[in-house]
Amino acid sequence: MTDVIIRTEGLVKNFGSLEVLKGIDTTVRRGEVVSIIGPSGGGKSTFLRCLNLLETPTAGKIWFEDMDITSKKLDIAKYRQRIGMVFQNFNVFPHMTVLENITLAPILEKKVPKEQAEEEAMALLERVGLTDKANEYPRKLSGGQKQRLAIVRALAMKPEVMLFDEPTSALDPEMVKEVLNVISDLAKSGMTILVVTHEMGFAREISDRVMLMADGIIAEDDSPEIIFSSPRNPRTIEFLSKVL
Amino acid sequence: MSKIVKLWSTYSDVFLDGLVGTLWLSAVTVVCGTILGILVALMRMSKLKPVNFVADIYIEVLRGTPILLQLYFFWIGLPKILPFDLSDTFCIITALIVNSSAYISEIIRAGIAAVDKGQSEAARSIGLSEVHVMTRVILPQAIKNILPALANQFIAMVKETSLASVFFVGELMTSYRTVQSTTYLALQSLTIVGIIYFVLNFVLSRLVLVMERRLKVSD
């Protein structure tokens, strides 16, 4: 539990003249579950997207284990296979069946034989209760089912870290729970997780650490007990007073 | 009216030859224009600024000048820069292909741009290479936007190829000129050609509608 898997140092991201991240220094240990909360526009999503290079950092460094992922020589596609991401809007591939969504990357990029990839995909589908949907197209799935599919599609690459970018924000209320349960199970299984969320109860329950991001910095970073019961930073206090 | 019927029964093979010429010319233009158009679209979407710039100029010039002018330009200019003998037909077809490639490249670019950005982000996030992101995720979805627009481009070309008659390249309007110059029945020949154009395009545009509906169902 002590080895560091992700470390950022002075991470800055600008969009034009807008400074979204103003120097993020943090570390995440293997197996840790970190929730990122805070007001919109605070840089939470951008921070997550920098970690798998969907955004290119303007300045600063990010290490994944000993690998400098801001290096120009990095094979980005190869790196992304080690760090899964789940999006607010699911982004499942509509032109492929559920099974094809899951096996696409393992077959193409890891050269896993088709049969083995499908077997592994079915095992994953079983974990999230979607076995009977394997040959359906995503248009037949509910939002919650699409998001569960998006999660196992990422897991099929056997990533070491999972990033969740507001995974339940686009869901109807009655579907939030089924998705949160899957993430909780994943957390219990020892996966390293960073999750941007507005579900405070969930954050409190599953996290080892809660980070509050506001105005492009980490305002407070502590155990969920301290963040939710006795926050010290005025920005945390203000934010929590609005959402709780 | 009786004159039209008589004219048709006498010269039907001339008109039908013209129809075949029009269809052939439009098909060749759209097929070759698509190949060239893909290249231009790729240049347009490239991250290299100079390549981008060249494609921009190409598209703007071709869309910003009349097609008839372009036909004259290729008809006169092409034989001057190429060292071998060129037929009028070859010059005119080249001009039509180049012209339609500008429109088709925009069809392709817009079709790709219309695919939700989340799709390419998701594809990249699971570690697909850039080539696979394009070929396995973006293009299969973009094709649904592109195909109906390409079919519409074909319909547009059916009408625009009529300009080739200025250079006596075999197609429907050229048939009109042939029949008119032997019979002096201008209005009647024109009516026949007009009916053929109209029926052809009416049928084609209905087919495009059917295709659009089918593609939508599979979404």
Side-chain angles (χ1 to χ4, degrees):
Chain A
M1 274 292 282
T2 50
D3 54 338
V4 170
I5 187 159
I6 292 173
R7 184 157 65 90
T8 72
E9 201 179 278
L11 177 61
V12 171
K13 177 65 188 177
N14 300 338
F15 291 108
S17 60
L18 187 69
E19 278 189 294
V20 179
L21 296 180
K22 299 174 185 167
I24 304 290
D25 301 289
T26 192
T27 57
V28 177
R29 282 181 243 285
R30 202 174 274 279
E32 210 171 16
V33 176
V34 180
S35 292
I36 305 167
I37 62 170
S40 359
K44 307 184 296 293
S45 288
T46 305
F47 173 60
L48 222 53
R49 292 162 59 86
C50 280
L51 296 182
N52 72 348
L53 300 174
L54 281 182
E55 304 293 351
T56 311
T58 308
K61 290 267 181 220
I62 304 172
W63 282 272
F64 188 90
E65 294 182 322
D66 296 331
M67 184 168 63
D68 175 6
I69 66 155
T70 48
S71 156
K72 291 247 187 308
K73 279 175 276 174
L74 180 84
D75 180 345
I76 296 182
K78 197 119 216 132
Y79 164 64
R80 288 192 183 123
Q81 294 170 13
R82 304 178 63 184
I83 182 161
M85 185 169 205
V86 172
F87 301 83
Q88 184 176 347
N89 295 316
F90 330 132
N91 299 336
V92 292
F93 305 136
H95 59 298
M96 295 179 196
T97 64
V98 167
L99 203 58
E100 287 165 348
N101 262 276
I102 304 170
T103 57
L104 176 75
I107 292 174
L108 276 182
E109 308 298 341
K110 281 191 160 174
K111 311 292 177 212
V112 177
K114 187 164 182 259
E115 268 177 41
Q116 188 192 335
E118 286 181 351
E119 233 167 75
E120 289 174 5
M122 289 309 292
L124 285 168
L125 284 175
E126 176 137 29
R127 254 169 82 180
V128 297
L130 287 175
T131 325
D132 55 324
K133 304 287 182 195
N135 296 309
E136 297 279 11
Y137 282 88
R139 66 174 177 277
K140 294 259 179 78
L141 303 184
S142 70
Q145 291 170 332
K146 281 182 193 164
Q147 195 60 303
R148 282 183 278 155
L149 166 59
I151 294 171
V152 292
R153 178 180 64 185
L155 289 177
M157 292 303 276
K158 306 196 171 83
E160 294 159 64
V161 176
M162 283 288 285
L163 309 174
F164 290 88
D165 189 4
E166 302 197 27
T168 59
S169 297
L171 291 174
D172 291 334
E174 74 270 20
M175 291 170 184
V176 169
K177 199 141 199 268
E178 62 189 56
V179 170
L180 293 185
N181 284 342
V182 171
I183 303 174
S184 289
D185 287 348
L186 202 57
K188 282 177 206 139
S189 76
M191 176 67 78
T192 310
I193 293 177
L194 280 89
V195 53
V196 171
T197 185
H198 294 296
E199 300 283 338
M200 295 304 147
F202 171 73
R204 181 171 198 157
E205 191 187 311
I206 72 153
S207 310
D208 299 311
R209 258 165 71 199
V210 176
M211 262 183 215
L212 186 118
M213 282 187 76
D215 303 322
I217 57 161
I218 297 174
E220 195 163 355
D221 180 355
D222 221 316
S223 69
E225 292 76 29
I226 292 181
I227 294 278
F228 289 109
S229 310
S230 47
R232 277 163 283 207
N233 189 293
R235 276 194 268 216
T236 315
I237 296 165
E238 189 199 342
F239 175 72
L240 290 175
S241 74
K242 280 180 191 157
V243 295
L244 290 180
Chain B
M1 191 63 199
S2 63
K3 274 186 191 158
I4 293 179
V5 174
K6 186 131 182 286
L7 198 63
W8 169 254
S9 55
T10 319
Y11 290 99
S12 62
D13 42 336
V14 179
F15 290 120
L16 288 177
D17 275 355
L19 172 63
V20 171
T22 290
L23 286 173
W24 180 81
L25 210 54
S26 309
V28 169
T29 304
V30 171
V31 170
C32 298
T34 302
I35 295 165
L36 191 56
I38 289 171
L39 198 75
V40 179
L42 286 176
M43 290 172 68
R44 193 80 219 273
M45 292 182 298
S46 150
K47 284 178 187 124
L48 297 169
K49 282 266 155 60
V51 175
N52 227 301
F53 183 72
V54 171
D56 261 356
I57 299 277
Y58 180 86
I59 293 168
E60 289 301 326
V61 167
L62 285 164
R63 298 206 302 181
T65 54
I67 184 166
L68 187 56
L69 180 145
Q70 293 166 22
L71 294 183
Y72 271 113
F73 198 83
F74 276 77
W75 183 62
I76 298 166
L78 218 48
K80 291 209 170 130
I81 52 168
L82 292 179
F84 36 85
D85 261 357
L86 297 171
S87 66
D88 287 353
T89 307
F90 179 87
C91 296
I92 295 309
I93 290 179
T94 307
L96 288 171
I97 289 170
V98 168
N99 175 272
S100 68
S101 74
Y103 290 90
I104 291 173
S105 75
E106 283 296 277
I107 289 171
I108 292 169
R109 193 191 55 79
I112 289 172
V115 176
D116 181 28
K117 203 164 149 270
Q119 290 290 314
S120 77
E121 288 186 348
R124 283 150 68 205
S125 81
I126 50 175
L128 292 190
S129 65
E130 291 297 326
V131 173
H132 285 148
V133 171
M134 205 36 146
T135 56
R136 299 305 183 103
V137 177
I138 306 301
L139 286 181
Q141 297 184 65
I143 207 88
K144 291 182 184 181
N145 310 323
I146 293 171
L147 274 184
L150 268 187
N152 281 323
Q153 180 66 18
F154 179 78
I155 293 174
M157 283 326 288
V158 165
K159 288 179 282 184
E160 296 198 346
T161 48
S162 62
L163 290 168
S165 68
V166 174
F167 309 90
F168 260 96
V169 172
E171 49 74 59
L172 261 177
M173 268 319 266
T174 311
S175 305
Y176 152 74
R177 293 183 64 182
T178 311
V179 175
Q180 184 268 338
S181 62
T182 36
T183 61
Y184 299 103
L185 295 171
L187 212 52
Q188 290 82 347
S189 327
L190 212 48
T191 307
I192 290 173
V193 170
I195 289 170
I196 297 176
Y197 270 122
F198 177 77
V199 170
L200 179 60
N201 276 342
F202 186 79
V203 171
L204 285 174
S205 57
R206 288 303 113 143
L207 286 177
V208 173
L209 281 183
V210 172
M211 174 162 79
E212 272 174 348
R213 230 171 282 144
R214 286 252 173 98
L215 288 174
K216 245 185 212 129
V217 170
S218 68
D219 252 350

